[in-house]
Amino acid sequence: MRWVEGGAFAMGSENFYPEEAPVRRVRVDGFWIDETPVTNREFARFVQATNHRTVAEIAPDPKDYPGMPIELAQPGSLLFQRTAGPVDLNDHSQWWTFALGVDWRHPHGPGSSLDGLEDHPVVHVTFEDARAYAKWAGKSLPTEAEWEYAARGGLQAQDYAWGEELAPEGRMLANYWQGAFPFANTLDDGWERTSPVRSYPANGLGLYDMIGNVWEWTSDWYAQPRVEAKARGSCCVPANPRGPTRHESLDAPNAIPRKVLKGGSHLCAPNYCQRYRPAARHAQAIESSTSHIGFRCVVRAKG
């Protein structure tokens, strides 16, 4: 883990997507954070020690999902599949499919394995799977503010974790999609899917893969950011801000509550989902797992 000295920073962005605004000044206390996302090797140790079964390894109960076809009441997870050509980018079903037999041990399909992927980020983990690992490890999942502060690597008001250019002088500094998503990946970064952690330079705090590779779970519920009011007569910015309530994270009646994901993934592309940035955020239902979501943990300083 790496120590992140506490401090104030400008959280959010007004240059890309509306859910990142407004930019607001906040402060976080110091904390330790994992140098990389949790890898398959590390998650395997957790499973061996606890016999944990991930949500993707357990058949869903149709009673919990009204309207679910009975044939889908089997273990599985959401798997990305390239399309044959251009598609409507508003229709996620064109490239996401619920694949039976897919889980963290079989990340690319029911017949796949972790051979050669031991040092890649673990994927196909839900929020509860990530939280269970964190508890076992004596750690926690980061808040959105902690995660973003660490991802910025000491830089202030920069679009990317390394400055103002996505690929300075053509250098690939993270694992994201080059080309036209979701059908033409030029692989300029060398990877079709996830990459081994530490494949790209660390940020200014010595942290790897904060941008790209996999989205990462945080502990905050998802909703539009809000500016916390200062106490009357206070000159201080809000400290250690937290997200909204569980109820506020619902986007529809009877919906599954959502948590904030940070960092973007290997599926973020210039023509779609430009979220390979510290300020970027995405809503994810806590019961969902996919082939591009992982996590890392923190340990907070004791006051």
Side-chain angles (χ1 to χ4, degrees):
M1 303 187 84
R2 292 275 183 163
W3 172 252
V4 177
E5 192 69 38
F9 74 108
M11 185 175 178
S13 172
E14 295 175 352
N15 298 333
F16 290 86
Y17 298 107
E19 71 269 14
E20 300 168 18
V23 175
R24 60 271 185 209
R25 192 82 176 163
V26 303
R27 176 180 295 276
V28 295
D29 294 334
F31 57 96
W32 294 90
I33 187 168
D34 288 344
E35 195 171 278
T36 73
V38 173
T39 64
N40 287 310
R41 188 189 307 276
E42 293 164 333
F43 198 78
R45 294 193 189 107
F46 157 65
V47 171
Q48 183 175 20
T50 64
N51 293 317
H52 178 84
R53 293 178 68 201
T54 61
V55 171
E57 296 173 281
I58 302 171
D61 186 342
K63 296 178 182 178
D64 297 330
Y65 303 92
M68 168 187 279
I70 192 65
E71 63 271 16
L72 291 183
Q74 300 181 53
S77 186
L78 288 169
L79 183 66
F80 171 80
Q81 295 181 325
R82 273 202 203 198
T83 62
V87 294
D88 179 2
L89 294 180
N90 293 313
D91 183 3
H92 300 170
S93 68
Q94 296 291 315
W95 56 87
W96 284 113
T97 184
F98 183 78
L100 303 181
V102 169
D103 54 48
W104 75 275
R105 289 188 177 91
H106 310 94
H108 303 151
S112 64
S113 73
L114 295 179
D115 290 348
L117 302 178
E118 293 84 357
D119 294 318
H120 287 233
V122 65
V123 292
H124 299 294
V125 287
T126 67
F127 174 77
E128 293 301 334
D129 295 324
R131 186 164 65 172
Y133 175 96
K135 182 178 180 180
W136 169 79
K139 304 177 182 181
S140 303
L141 296 179
T143 66
E144 181 178 4
E146 288 170 337
W147 197 100
E148 184 170 329
Y149 182 65
R152 290 183 178 276
L155 297 180
Q156 290 279 353
Q158 302 288 303
D159 283 340
Y160 302 101
W162 44 81
E164 285 298 316
E165 293 183 60
L166 175 58
E169 299 180 346
R171 289 181 293 134
M172 296 290 102
L173 300 179
N175 180 355
Y176 62 93
W177 185 291
Q178 296 88 51
F181 182 87
F183 64 96
N185 190 341
T186 61
L187 303 181
D188 293 347
D189 60 7
W191 298 96
E192 173 79 16
R193 299 185 179 92
T194 59
S195 51
V197 298
R198 298 187 179 88
S199 292
Y200 301 91
N203 72 5
L205 297 177
L207 304 174
Y208 294 86
D209 293 296
M210 295 295 290
I211 302 301
N213 211 356
V214 292
W215 283 101
E216 298 184 15
W217 288 106
T218 72
S219 60
D220 282 354
W221 298 109
Y222 181 92
Q224 184 65 26
R226 60 192 178 199
V227 178
E228 296 186 25
K230 298 179 184 178
R232 183 179 296 275
S234 172
C235 63
C236 302
V237 298
N240 303 311
R242 296 304 309 269
T245 66
R246 177 187 176 99
H247 178 74
E248 290 172 317
S249 75
L250 302 176
D251 61 346
N254 302 317
I256 298 173
R258 303 170 299 165
K259 291 286 186 175
V260 176
L261 299 180
K262 296 289 282 185
S265 80
H266 58 279
L267 300 183
C268 288
N271 74 309
Y272 176 77
C273 188
Q274 298 177 34
R275 291 182 170 89
Y276 27 58
R277 298 170 291 104
R281 56 203 305 269
H282 181 64
Q284 185 69 20
I286 59 174
E287 296 180 8
S288 295
S289 61
T290 77
S291 55
H292 73 331
I293 298 176
F295 68 100
R296 77 180 72 210
C297 302
V298 300
V299 173
R300 297 182 182 93
K302 295 182 179 179

